[in-house]
Amino acid sequence: MIAGPSAVWKTIGVAFDLTGAIALASVAIWLATRRDRFGRAGTAVVIALFLTALWSLASAAATASPAVVFAPSLVESARNLAWLLVIYRLFASDGRHATLAPIRPVIFALAFVEMLHLAVDYGLSRLTIDGDVLRVAFEFNVMFRLLVTVGGLVLVHNLYAGSPRESRAALRWPAVGLAALWAFDLNLYTIAYLAGSWPYEIAALRGIATGALAACIAIAAAGNRDDLRLRPSRAVTFQTFSLLVIGVYLVGMVAVAQWLSYAGGNFARLIELAFLTLASALALVVLPSRRVRAWLKVTLAKHFFQHRYDYREEWLRFTRTIGSGGEESLPLGERVVQSIADVFESPAGLLLTPGDQGELTLAARWNWAEIEVPSVAIPLRGLGHFERTGYICDLDEVRGSATGDSPGSEWENDVPRWLIDHPRAWAMIPLVHYERLVGMVVLARPQLARKFDWEDFDLLRVIGQQVASYLAENSSQLALAESARFDDFHRRIAFVMHDIKNLASQFSLLARNAELHAEKPAFRADMLVTLRNSSDKLNALLARLSRYGSGGVDKLEPVPAAEVLSVVMERFRGTPQVVLAETRVAVITANRHSLEQVLMHLVQNAIDASRPESPVFVSLSVDGLNARFEVLDSGSGMSADFVRNRLFKPFVSTKTGGFGIGAFEARELVRAMRGRLDVESREGLGSRFVVRLPLAAASDIYQTLASHDQKVA
């Protein structure tokens, strides 16, 4: 330890301390009649300014006269306690008990540390101790000061960060002044601890920090300020305790390291360095952990707040997520999953919505690419319980009942096996709108999984109903837009049909006149062939255009499926990409022309989506009472959102110049033939289109049963 400051530094220290004391006392006297400008904290601010001025005078006296030892420490403790009281009053400015709940323990703990330091310092000043013990006492005193300084800086940070936007203007300058005071002390005491002695040269400049504090308080009180109202949120509480835990950890680590240096004997320095290395590595691994952060948030919410959730923050976050727009925003389905997943900090999720037959199919996935979802995610028979009750299913409980660890319910048999078998699947949240199930959200397991309680259920039901209304409204808007575009399309087609019909009539008349008046037989014959062909083509076009909007077919009749497939393959004979993988003999009930049109459209789309060297496989098989036509490619594939919301929507095309009704027309034609068109696709892997049409024998059975039912009725 050095003997003491030089005469130059003594002079500098006394000058700065006296200047700071004068500035602080002046501001305190000026502010005494203007205390209301700091609200309910005005009196505490004036007292803290006077005590800080007194501390500056004591520091100047101690610098000038080394005999004064305990007085500066005593007044510094009083100064710190006074400013802690100021912060306490600022936090309590709205008069609510809930506001002080997360702050009061921190302030009381820091006040206790300050009082403990004062008692220890006073006791040591009355004893005669040797140099080694004095050095240990010095280091522990510095550690006490460091703890209070770190805590004060954390409180100042949250005082400003946790305030509403309208109150920050009034808090800005007091927060800057206190941050300057305690930040200087933090550096001063850190250097003192590391050096093992008091840095007189740096301590001589403490008057600069007190002068900055006086200037900031004066600036804050100079203008008219609104009443300070502070409502620290859960986020602010979490930040406060996180920083406080880090500060306590660092102080504790240094204390243990210092003890090891004394108890380690000849290997003291090696043991100390090894401990510091291991402790630092542990802190770097544990403190940033999402599991630790989640546990800390749950613990704080459980012990410091009446409710688990900050409903205002949850609602604002929900509306920001679900209502975000723009080109870079996620699709609505993914935003729906994210808005619910954020409640539990779930990292991923799925959105299932009703398909054509009422079963739930995959509509969107959010951060969950690895889970395999079948084409029918949840069959229709498994949705009744969720639609009636809106029950939120904890999949861990279902797994427990399956293994016999907990009693099960009958409806649990309807939970699909692919969800139970997947280890990350955690919860199923039904989305019910006017007693109708419009979707289901499946959440992945969060870092800190826990059981649901009544507060979770209440919040999720409200959010689920709101999300369901968004989905229902979006579906209604899409249906209205589609209807409007269909109306426009029908009006345009009506004009086209009218013009084509006139042309067909003119051609027919011309053909009849030519039969009567043409003189050259050869010319007449050629003209007749040409005109009749043109007339036939126009009439065929009229018949095809007449089917738009109705999805109807001319006639259903028994058709050999293999013959239709051979015609399609013959059409693509010049394209080596198209490969016939399998064919079976089957007679189906369909319309030959419509089926050819559907298959040629699907094969052509598969060719367009694939690279020239990638094959397109076409097959025909028998699946129960249906014939199964399958077109498989390994092209670019499609996302679940595109398949769900755009593939079968009319007037939506990914091709340049495309009309956007090919896939829609194909599905409508298949439906008109009493069949079904299914799609399975993954981006980057390819697509599978499956057309199922009833066998002729099955159609006869259905017609016989229908006729029998009519006779009975």
Side-chain angles (χ1 to χ4, degrees):
M1 302 176 75
I2 62 177
S6 64
V8 175
W9 285 109
K10 281 186 178 181
T11 303
I12 294 174
V14 171
F16 277 127
D17 287 335
L18 290 177
T19 303
I22 294 172
L24 290 165
S26 301
V27 174
I29 295 172
W30 174 76
L31 190 61
T33 57
R34 301 172 177 82
R35 297 190 301 273
D36 57 332
R37 298 189 179 184
F38 286 98
R40 298 175 61 183
T43 302
V45 171
V46 173
I47 295 174
L49 287 171
F50 275 120
L51 288 176
T52 308
L54 183 60
W55 165 74
S56 295
L57 290 175
S59 298
T63 302
S65 176
V68 181
V69 178
F70 180 66
S73 179
L74 173 63
V75 185
E76 183 175 358
S77 296
R79 180 206 73 175
N80 289 338
L81 292 173
W83 286 115
L84 290 176
L85 176 62
V86 169
I87 295 176
Y88 180 87
R89 300 297 291 176
L90 291 175
F91 271 108
S93 59
D94 62 354
R96 293 174 60 224
H97 175 74
T99 301
L100 298 176
I103 302 301
R104 187 182 290 111
V106 180
I107 294 180
F108 286 175
L110 295 177
F112 173 77
V113 171
E114 193 63 63
M115 297 298 295
L116 181 63
H117 166 262
L118 187 62
V120 172
D121 198 15
Y122 178 78
L124 292 176
S125 66
R126 298 294 179 178
L127 298 175
T128 302
I129 52 182
D130 58 18
D132 292 337
V133 178
L134 183 61
R135 183 161 59 89
V136 174
F138 171 78
E139 291 177 350
F140 272 96
N141 280 337
V142 171
M143 288 173 55
F144 281 130
R145 292 295 190 199
L146 277 174
L147 186 59
V148 174
T149 301
V150 171
L153 287 173
V154 169
L155 289 174
V156 170
H157 164 74
N158 288 279
L159 174 66
Y160 181 77
S163 63
R165 186 177 300 274
E166 60 272 12
S167 298
R168 290 189 176 182
L171 288 173
R172 182 179 298 113
W173 290 109
V176 170
L178 287 174
L181 178 67
W182 276 324
F184 189 94
D185 286 351
L186 176 64
N187 289 277
L188 175 67
Y189 288 120
T190 302
I191 294 174
Y193 180 82
L194 296 176
S197 61
W198 185 249
Y200 291 99
E201 293 80 1
I202 299 177
L205 304 177
R206 297 179 85 179
I208 298 176
T210 57
L213 173 63
C216 290
I217 296 296
I219 294 173
N224 294 326
R225 303 298 183 188
D226 297 332
D227 292 338
L228 303 178
R229 300 183 62 82
L230 189 67
R231 297 175 177 86
S233 63
R234 284 164 169 78
V236 172
T237 305
F238 174 70
Q239 292 177 6
T240 300
F241 275 83
S242 298
L243 294 174
L244 189 61
V245 167
I246 293 173
V248 172
Y249 177 82
L250 292 176
V251 173
M253 185 175 67
V254 172
V256 174
Q258 192 65 31
W259 175 79
L260 289 173
S261 67
Y262 293 130
N266 296 329
F267 299 97
R269 183 58 59 184
L270 179 61
I271 296 175
E272 182 181 7
L273 292 176
F275 171 77
L276 290 175
T277 302
L278 292 176
S280 300
L282 180 64
L284 291 175
V285 173
V286 174
L287 293 180
S289 171
R290 295 183 63 183
R291 183 178 295 274
V292 173
R293 292 169 61 87
W295 171 83
L296 183 57
K297 286 185 177 181
V298 171
T299 303
L300 292 177
K302 180 178 180 181
H303 295 287
F304 285 94
F305 296 95
Q306 183 179 0
H307 300 287
R308 181 188 301 277
Y309 297 103
D310 186 342
Y311 293 101
R312 175 179 175 273
E313 290 297 328
E314 294 295 340
W315 188 252
L316 290 176
R317 180 171 60 182
F318 168 77
T319 53
R320 283 195 302 268
T321 302
I322 201 71
S324 61
E327 297 181 355
E328 297 182 357
S329 62
L330 296 174
L332 177 62
E334 296 183 32
R335 297 202 308 271
V336 165
V337 178
Q338 183 183 1
S339 64
I340 298 179
D342 286 343
V343 176
F344 299 99
E345 297 187 352
S346 175
L350 305 173
L351 174 63
L352 311 177
T353 54
D356 297 331
Q357 308 298 325
E359 75 283 4
L360 291 188
T361 60
L362 177 64
R365 62 174 77 218
W366 178 67
N367 295 340
W368 207 350
E370 76 276 7
I371 186 172
E372 293 291 339
V373 183
S375 58
V376 178
I378 303 179
L380 182 61
R381 65 177 181 273
L383 303 177
H385 176 76
F386 294 101
E387 189 170 52
R388 291 191 306 270
T389 63
Y391 181 76
I392 298 170
C393 176
D394 187 345
L395 292 174
D396 288 337
E397 292 185 356
V398 177
R399 296 184 184 99
S401 62
T403 58
D405 296 337
S406 61
S409 303
E410 295 182 0
W411 63 266
E412 292 181 356
N413 297 325
D414 297 329
V415 178
R417 174 56 57 181
W418 65 272
L419 278 177
I420 298 176
D421 293 340
H422 199 283
R424 292 189 64 193
W426 181 54
M428 300 169 60
I429 297 100
L431 310 178
V432 181
H433 182 65
Y434 288 115
E435 300 181 355
R436 183 173 66 90
L437 187 70
V438 299
M440 178 85 71
V441 171
V442 180
L443 295 182
R445 189 182 307 278
Q447 289 289 332
L448 186 65
R450 56 177 177 80
K451 289 187 175 295
F452 294 102
D453 57 18
W454 64 269
E455 197 168 0
D456 299 322
F457 293 141
D458 288 346
L459 180 60
L460 283 177
R461 286 193 181 97
V462 172
I463 292 181
Q465 292 173 1
Q466 189 67 22
V467 165
S469 67
Y470 274 103
L471 291 175
E473 181 181 358
N474 183 69
S475 299
S476 300
Q477 290 177 351
L478 292 177
L480 288 174
E482 180 180 325
S483 177
R485 299 183 72 175
F486 257 124
D487 291 340
D488 180 69
F489 181 73
H490 287 160
R491 285 195 298 270
R492 295 175 182 271
I493 290 299
F495 291 114
V496 174
M497 290 176 64
H498 177 73
D499 295 338
I500 296 177
K501 190 174 183 180
N502 290 336
L503 288 174
S505 299
Q506 292 175 5
F507 287 161
S508 298
L509 179 61
L510 179 61
R512 288 195 299 269
N513 291 335
E515 291 177 354
L516 298 175
H517 303 290
E519 297 179 355
K520 296 181 179 181
F523 174 78
R524 183 180 59 195
D526 183 67
M527 182 184 64
L528 288 175
V529 172
T530 303
L531 291 177
R532 285 195 180 99
N533 289 338
S534 300
S535 178
D536 292 341
K537 290 180 180 179
L538 288 174
N539 287 324
L541 178 60
L542 283 173
R544 181 178 176 183
L545 290 174
S546 299
R547 292 198 300 268
Y548 281 126
S550 63
V553 295
D554 293 336
K555 183 181 179 181
L556 295 180
E557 58 186 358
V559 176
E563 291 183 6
V564 177
L565 187 59
S566 64
V567 172
V568 175
M569 295 301 298
E570 180 67 21
R571 185 70 61 89
F572 292 97
R573 182 177 58 180
T575 306
Q577 276 184 268
V578 183
V579 178
L580 181 60
E582 180 185 7
T583 184
R584 291 287 186 270
V585 177
V587 179
I588 59 177
T589 300
N591 179 270
R592 183 187 295 268
H593 178 268
S594 298
L595 181 56
E596 290 178 3
Q597 181 181 343
V598 169
L599 293 177
M600 285 190 291
H601 172 77
L602 297 179
V603 174
Q604 185 61 51
N605 273 3
I607 294 173
D608 295 340
S610 304
R611 295 185 299 273
E613 67 274 10
S614 298
V616 174
F617 296 100
V618 183
S619 62
L620 168 62
S621 60
V622 177
D623 184 7
L625 298 178
N626 297 311
R628 174 189 173 104
F629 296 89
E630 184 174 303
V631 179
L632 175 65
D633 67 76
S634 56
S636 57
M638 298 171 287
S639 65
D641 177 72
F642 182 85
V643 172
R644 176 69 187 177
N645 300 316
R646 300 182 61 190
L647 178 61
F648 295 115
K649 297 298 180 183
F651 317 111
V652 176
S653 176
T654 57
K655 300 178 182 178
T656 303
F659 202 34
I661 60 174
F664 169 79
E665 183 184 27
R667 188 180 66 172
E668 294 302 308
L669 290 176
V670 171
R671 286 179 175 178
M673 291 184 287
R674 303 173 187 171
R676 178 172 176 174
L677 175 59
D678 294 325
V679 184
E680 297 178 4
S681 184
R682 292 292 294 273
E683 288 184 285
L685 297 179
S687 304
R688 182 198 306 270
F689 286 82
V690 179
V691 177
R692 292 182 175 88
L693 292 174
L695 298 174
S699 299
D700 295 339
I701 295 174
Y702 291 148
Q703 291 179 358
T704 302
L705 292 176
S707 301
H708 181 267
D709 292 340
Q710 291 178 355
K711 291 179 180 179
V712 172

